[in-house]
Amino acid sequence: KAGVTQTPRYLIKTRGQQVTLSCSPISGHRSVSWYQQTPGQGLQFLFEYFSETQRNKGNFPGRFSGRQFSNSRSEMNVSTLELGDSALYLCASSSDRGSNEKLFFGSGTQLSVL
Amino acid sequence: GDSVTQMEGPVTLSEEAFLTINCTYTATGYPSLFWYVQYPGEGLQLLLKATKADDKGSNKGFEATYRKETTSFHLEKGSVQVSDSAVYFCALRRETSGSRLTFGEGTQLTVNP
């Protein structure tokens, strides 16, 4: 069974640009969540999508948005990039939203904002 | 709000040494508790979990016990190997929060031969 796939693996952007990151969950998984990892703030929850609906949202500005398609693939978008958006963005999938359900993480997209 | 605090790192040990990484949490209700491990250049992998008080999670020689009275979930291993070198994250997840995990700061473990 293929794991969680995130593309691209690396991305370099400049301030003010926007970026779209993609996540393909494990086949059959309907929940996709996104996390930002930085040396200073650690791992922070961005949002979760389940069956194409956003069900949970972290404390990030509106520049961060996401969506989920009918095949459960998800994208997140960051508009008007700032230097502080440089981070590893991790996607995780699970089969449902139960608190005991195992999350499977992708290898992440490393975003650098110059 | 929910929070997880891990012992300050990094931790450097010799092979076959005993490992303890402390983790305490603050949360309402009865969250599930997790330890995740991150190897260089990779995403997070679930190491072990416990879903209720006094549960002990274990995997690959690692253990952690859910202590409600001390709100702790310390990670232990009796004899570490060089291959255990990685970053370890303690996390909690509330039943009502879906896939939302609250993570600790992470502890870098380096095991020398």
Side-chain angles (χ1 to χ4, degrees), chain A residues 84-102:
Chain A
D85 297 333
S86 295
L88 178 67
Y89 290 88
L90 293 168
C91 163
S93 76
S94 67
S95 59
D96 66 29
R97 294 180 66 238
S99 64
N100 297 329
E101 193 64 30
K102 182 176 178 179

Side-chain angles (χ1 to χ4, degrees), chain A residues 26-81:
Chain A
I26 290 173
S27 178
H29 284 188
R30 293 193 295 164
S31 170
V32 174
S33 50
W34 289 88
Y35 291 83
Q36 181 195 64
Q37 185 176 20
T38 60
Q41 299 297 317
L43 279 153
Q44 294 187 289
F45 173 80
L46 280 156
F47 30 63
E48 177 200 3
Y49 287 86
F50 183 79
S51 294
E52 302 179 65
T53 302
Q54 187 182 89
R55 289 303 184 93
N56 217 336
K57 190 176 188 306
N59 298 322
F60 279 82
R63 299 185 297 107
F64 292 81
S65 63
R67 60 178 175 169
Q68 186 179 34
F69 302 95
S70 58
N71 61 358
S72 293
R73 189 178 70 86
S74 177
E75 290 181 347
M76 68 162 282
N77 184 277
V78 188
S79 62
T80 318
L81 284 166

